[in-house]
Amino acid sequence: MRLRSYPGGLTHLRPDGSAQMVDVSGKIESDREATATATLRTTGEVLLLLTAEGLPKGDALAVARIAGILATKRTSDLIPLCHPLPISKVAVDFVLASDSVQLVATVKTNGVTGVEMEALTAVTVAALTVYDMIKAVDKHAVLTDIRVLAKSGGKSGNWAL
């Protein structure tokens, strides 16, 4: 496998090619924010149940919001090379359409590394939670389009889709 050339080398690799956690001790703290999204495709009937809190397992969106927030705080336990971060805010929101739920998670910190992985973890675990809570009424629901929408702060500055 041939790796692309990066200025300064790949920071997650030691000279022998083995993985390492990046040393961020020399980086300057700054306000950082990232927003990620995921889509859960389901049926119109399930969306009616979601909005009416009529699912057999209860209020899926409320439970998913809490699951996403909790997952954010555990990102470094789940992703091996992520640094634990002091999270200052997590928001998990839902946009319901006729055949899907779009989940959006925004995470903020003041720290030395970004929160893209935390936002992705939040939105993914929230989506998995909704899936778990609707699977009894829709075994064909699909999770899709998990991605970072935007990030701000740090040396690389702002970025958005």
Side-chain angles (χ1 to χ4, degrees), residues 9-32:
L10 293 172
T11 57
H12 282 84
L13 296 178
R14 295 189 298 198
D16 68 359
S18 59
Q20 71 176 353
M21 184 180 245
V22 175
D23 180 359
V24 295
S25 61
K27 293 177 79 176
I28 297 171
E29 286 188 1
S30 67
D31 290 334
R32 296 159 185 268

Side-chain angles (χ1 to χ4, degrees), residues 101-159:
V101 178
Q102 180 185 21
L103 299 92
V104 180
T106 300
V107 179
K108 292 182 179 183
T109 190
N110 182 281
V112 295
T113 189
V115 286
E116 296 91 345
M117 294 309 299
E118 287 73 12
L120 286 165
T121 300
V123 79
T124 302
V125 170
L128 288 169
T129 301
V130 174
Y131 181 92
D132 179 55
M133 294 188 75
I134 69 167
K135 69 184 181 203
V137 293
D138 184 4
K139 294 182 183 2
H140 303 287
V142 175
L143 295 175
T144 186
D145 299 326
I146 299 168
R147 64 184 184 263
V148 175
L149 293 176
K151 62 82 71 188
S152 64
K155 188 171 92 175
S156 63
N158 301 346
W159 174 89

Side-chain angles (χ1 to χ4, degrees), residues 47-122:
L47 286 159
L48 288 173
L49 292 171
L50 274 171
T51 57
E53 298 179 20
L55 290 166
K57 289 188 173 185
D59 186 348
L61 300 181
V63 174
R65 178 172 284 122
I66 297 300
I69 292 167
L70 289 173
T72 302
K73 299 188 291 183
R74 301 298 302 262
T75 300
S76 65
D77 292 334
L78 300 169
I79 310 297
L81 300 178
C82 280
H83 292 83
L85 300 176
I87 303 299
S88 50
K89 182 178 181 183
V90 181
V92 179
D93 295 299
F94 310 95
V95 179
L96 282 68
S98 62
D99 65 348
S100 65
V101 178
Q102 180 185 21
L103 299 92
V104 180
T106 300
V107 179
K108 292 182 179 183
T109 190
N110 182 281
V112 295
T113 189
V115 286
E116 296 91 345
M117 294 309 299
E118 287 73 12
L120 286 165
T121 300

